[in-house]
Amino acid sequence: RSSDLAVEEDCKEILRMIRELAEYENMTEDVKITEEKLKEDGFGENPIYKCLIAELPVGQKSKEGFTIVGHALFVFSYSSWKGRIIYLEDIYVMPEYRGCGIGKIGR
């Protein structure tokens, strides 16, 4: 899978990227989420978010050894005027893969 919906087993890597984004924003102390809470909130009985992940092709890894190099975390909401809407909470691609088209739709 190159870009697909995350599964529960991806939560460790999603949390890693959330922390990387927070570090970039100089806000690491504001990250309170845990891997367990990500699992519960995204894959429990009543999931409240969805997440797309960007994964490198089989056999490829980042210089740090990761295969998941990006994510887009989103939630569904509802507008009385517009109906169902999607709110994109985070979109993140590891710096070494930015500009490579990983976040493009229809890749």
Side-chain angles (χ1 to χ4, degrees), residues 8 27 71 76:
E8 186 173 353
M27 299 181 75
H71 79 281
F76 293 99

mmCIF file of all heavy atoms in Angstrom, residues 8 27 71 76:
data_model
loop_
_atom_site.group_PDB
_atom_site.id
_atom_site.type_symbol
_atom_site.label_atom_id
_atom_site.label_comp_id
_atom_site.label_asym_id
_atom_site.label_seq_id
_atom_site.Cartn_x
_atom_site.Cartn_y
_atom_site.Cartn_z
ATOM 1 N N GLU A 8 -5.023 -0.107 12.893
ATOM 2 C CA GLU A 8 -4.645 0.065 14.289
ATOM 3 C C GLU A 8 -3.137 -0.098 14.514
ATOM 4 O O GLU A 8 -2.533 0.631 15.304
ATOM 5 C CB GLU A 8 -5.425 -0.927 15.156
ATOM 6 C CG GLU A 8 -5.220 -0.739 16.632
ATOM 7 C CD GLU A 8 -6.122 -1.621 17.473
ATOM 8 O OE1 GLU A 8 -7.012 -2.304 16.930
ATOM 9 O OE2 GLU A 8 -5.922 -1.630 18.701
ATOM 10 N N MET A 27 6.342 22.772 19.742
ATOM 11 C CA MET A 27 5.192 22.572 20.627
ATOM 12 C C MET A 27 5.159 21.157 21.195
ATOM 13 O O MET A 27 4.088 20.624 21.462
ATOM 14 C CB MET A 27 3.898 22.893 19.868
ATOM 15 C CG MET A 27 3.837 24.331 19.374
ATOM 16 S SD MET A 27 2.312 24.709 18.503
ATOM 17 C CE MET A 27 1.177 24.814 19.876
ATOM 18 N N HIS A 71 1.246 11.175 6.870
ATOM 19 C CA HIS A 71 -0.122 10.871 7.272
ATOM 20 C C HIS A 71 -1.009 12.101 7.111
ATOM 21 O O HIS A 71 -0.522 13.226 7.077
ATOM 22 C CB HIS A 71 -0.188 10.361 8.718
ATOM 23 C CG HIS A 71 -0.105 11.439 9.758
ATOM 24 N ND1 HIS A 71 1.077 12.026 10.128
ATOM 25 C CD2 HIS A 71 -1.070 12.034 10.488
ATOM 26 C CE1 HIS A 71 0.853 12.927 11.062
ATOM 27 N NE2 HIS A 71 -0.452 12.969 11.298
ATOM 28 N N PHE A 76 -14.883 13.666 10.432
ATOM 29 C CA PHE A 76 -16.112 14.071 9.758
ATOM 30 C C PHE A 76 -16.927 14.911 10.728
ATOM 31 O O PHE A 76 -16.951 14.655 11.924
ATOM 32 C CB PHE A 76 -16.935 12.848 9.334
ATOM 33 C CG PHE A 76 -16.263 12.029 8.271
ATOM 34 C CD1 PHE A 76 -15.560 10.888 8.608
ATOM 35 C CD2 PHE A 76 -16.322 12.404 6.945
ATOM 36 C CE1 PHE A 76 -14.920 10.127 7.641
ATOM 37 C CE2 PHE A 76 -15.693 11.656 5.963
ATOM 38 C CZ PHE A 76 -14.998 10.518 6.314
#
